[in-house]
Amino acid sequence: MKQLKVLVFSASFGNGHLRAAEAVIEGIRIKEPSAKIIHLDFGAFLNMRVNTIIRDFYSGLLKRAPKLWGRFYYKTGKKQPQSMSQRLLNQIGRSNFLNYIQQFKPDLIVCTYPTVSSILAQLRIEQILQVPLITVITDYTVHSHWVHPGVDCYIVACAKVKESLMSWGIQAPNIHVTGIPVSPRFEEREDRMTTLEKLGLTPGLPTFLFMGGTYVILESTKRICKTLTGSQVPVQCIVVCGDNEKLYDSLDDVIAQARNPLIRFKFVHNVEELMSVSDLIITKAGGLTVSEALTKHLPLIIFRPIPGQEEENAQYVQGIGAGWIAENEEELAKMLGHLLHHPEDIEKMRSKAAIALAGHSTERAVEEMLQLALASSRRQRIG
């Protein structure tokens, strides 16, 4: 069999698109170690400077005006795939993409970002692009921007997303409910005691994981950490600050005055280990974070979900019983206090999380991709 060649498009507008793409690449390399895979950032591929401007604008909007983003998201969410705005978007960079694809000659194209997916899907409809196109939807909801009849195969999180796509006219055989691809590392079952010792945590204490980062409100996060570190009920906290240096530094005095242990990290590459030793995660509701937590059977409290896809993801988590939504700091404090006094409710959520996903999402997604590539290759040989 010839060497498999795969072209993967993601985008740096939100970390989830990138992480889903990396998970797919990991999964393909497990199944096809000799595969040649190229991973491109959609925006950077077209124009690095414009990509940076758009990414910074997007991040700033989510941080400073999330309600404005929500209004934009819901207003555009029902636009038809053949609307004027969508047709204009489908013209972006067509020749650049075609030239690159013709040079690389991939057997398969995978997209985890909707804009590039729609551009290539339109080329498929026009029979200009002959390569099978797979789109991975990275949330537990469907915005119209993801929808295009030219996509050969959709990889989706849950039955609800499949039903939404079908309501848009996408054929059921072209939609595969595998779960959002997450790194295969999240499927591994860590030895809890060994990992606790490695991280400097105390066995036997309830462990709450707080995912901070760019979009958290510093003073609010600091107060929540003070509440937990001063709790009369013993608990230990892990805080991941990401690239939020101010948040990291602000926890100095919290740690100095803490009754209960708190450890903090900047950007980490072992989230799967942190989730393995945690009893609860307090986080935003990005599709990949939700999927990683559910894969680890880890209950979630979604804190102040951003209107739009995060809000929809949070509703999904709460709807299946695997977590709660805290709209403000007061609600979060009450929830944490309740769960510390009623750990049986954490276990109930853990049970719901354990049955939410079938597991091995990346393996199952990659199997669908490889079957599509094989079927395409056969048709070409027959033709």
Side-chain angles (χ1 to χ4, degrees):
M1 181 179 176
K2 70 168 188 173
Q3 182 188 38
L4 179 71
K5 298 172 74 174
V6 183
L7 183 57
V8 179
F9 281 104
S10 66
S12 51
F13 311 136
N15 198 28
H17 305 297
L18 176 64
R19 278 153 56 200
E22 290 173 341
V24 167
I25 292 168
E26 280 188 78
I28 293 173
R29 293 205 184 282
I30 290 170
K31 292 280 187 180
E32 296 285 340
S34 65
K36 184 175 182 180
I37 307 171
I38 292 180
H39 180 192
L40 297 176
D41 181 326
F42 160 68
F45 174 75
L46 294 178
N47 188 306
M48 181 70 79
R49 184 177 179 185
V50 172
N51 182 60
T52 301
I53 292 170
I54 295 173
R55 187 183 65 232
D56 291 347
F57 174 78
Y58 174 76
S59 298
L61 187 64
L62 292 186
K63 188 174 182 180
R64 298 181 183 88
K67 290 183 179 179
L68 181 61
W69 164 255
R71 287 198 294 271
F72 171 79
Y73 178 89
Y74 288 116
K75 186 175 181 179
T76 59
K78 299 302 180 183
K79 282 187 176 291
Q80 294 296 319
Q82 294 306 315
S83 67
M84 178 63 74
S85 59
Q86 190 60 58
R87 291 204 304 271
L88 289 172
L89 281 172
N90 290 344
Q91 299 303 311
I92 297 173
R94 278 168 59 111
S95 59
N96 300 59
F97 289 122
L98 275 173
N99 288 339
Y100 193 92
I101 291 166
Q102 288 165 357
Q103 290 176 24
F104 181 53
K105 296 182 173 60
D107 300 294
L108 198 65
I109 299 174
V110 181
C111 296
T112 65
Y113 186 65
T115 302
V116 66
S117 169
S118 292
I119 294 166
L120 299 183
Q122 184 59 36
L123 291 170
R124 288 288 282 152
I125 286 287
E126 296 172 16
Q127 298 185 353
I128 296 171
L129 180 63
Q130 305 302 320
V131 184
L133 174 65
I134 293 177
T135 295
V136 180
I137 296 182
T138 54
D139 289 296
Y140 288 80
T141 187
V142 179
H143 187 281
S144 64
H145 196 28
W146 285 104
V147 182
H148 200 293
V151 173
D152 295 277
C153 169
Y154 277 99
I155 298 297
V156 303
C158 59
K160 176 188 170 187
V161 175
K162 180 174 182 176
E163 291 164 7
S164 295
L165 285 172
M166 290 172 62
S167 73
W168 281 96
I170 304 300
Q171 298 300 304
N174 296 340
I175 310 167
H176 301 280
V177 181
T178 65
I180 299 172
V182 300
S183 170
R185 298 192 308 275
F186 286 86
E187 303 287 354
E188 298 171 5
R189 294 293 170 241
E190 310 282 346
D191 181 82
R192 185 181 177 96
M193 293 298 291
T194 301
T195 308
L196 283 168
E197 184 178 349
K198 173 183 173 181
L199 296 171
L201 294 166
T202 304
L205 280 184
T207 304
F208 289 1
L209 171 61
F210 199 127
M211 298 298 290
T214 305
Y215 305 126
V216 304
I217 298 173
L218 188 148
E219 288 304 320
S220 179
T221 302
K222 188 175 176 181
R223 283 192 294 270
I224 293 160
C225 290
K226 278 186 176 179
T227 298
L228 289 170
T229 57
S231 168
Q232 296 293 328
V233 180
V235 61
Q236 58 192 348
C237 301
I238 306 169
V239 182
V240 177
C241 303
D243 56 3
N244 194 330
E245 295 278 350
K246 289 184 178 178
L247 173 60
Y248 185 90
D249 293 339
S250 75
L251 296 176
D252 284 344
D253 61 330
V254 177
I255 293 170
Q257 300 169 28
R259 175 199 305 272
N260 296 311
L262 182 149
I263 63 171
R264 61 185 166 171
F265 299 98
K266 294 183 179 179
F267 195 84
V268 298
H269 298 282
N270 64 332
V271 174
E272 71 282 359
E273 287 188 331
L274 303 184
M275 287 187 174
S276 290
V277 298
S278 297
D279 299 291
L280 182 77
I281 182 171
I282 305 146
T283 182
K284 292 293 187 180
L288 266 291
T289 299
V290 167
S291 295
E292 289 163 356
L294 293 178
T295 299
K296 282 293 188 184
H297 306 166
L298 179 62
L300 304 97
I301 290 185
I302 309 298
F303 182 42
R304 299 183 64 175
I306 294 169
Q309 64 268 43
E310 273 203 16
E311 199 168 52
E312 299 289 333
N313 294 338
Q315 291 293 341
Y316 172 80
V317 169
Q318 185 164 269
I320 63 173
W324 294 344
I325 299 172
E327 296 288 356
N328 54 56
E329 189 179 331
E330 291 72 27
E331 283 187 9
L332 178 58
K334 287 179 182 177
M335 288 178 184
L336 294 175
H338 173 86
L339 292 172
L340 283 171
H341 286 90
H342 299 278
E344 67 275 10
D345 285 346
I346 294 179
E347 289 309 308
K348 288 177 185 176
M349 288 192 286
R350 185 182 293 279
S351 297
K352 296 292 186 180
I355 61 176
L357 302 180
H360 301 283
S361 57
T362 300
E363 180 181 349
R364 296 193 301 141
V366 167
E367 285 174 358
E368 297 295 345
M369 295 175 188
L370 297 180
Q371 285 180 22
L372 182 60
L374 184 59
S376 175
S377 176
R378 285 173 178 164
R379 284 195 299 270
Q380 290 176 10
R381 286 200 302 270
I382 294 171

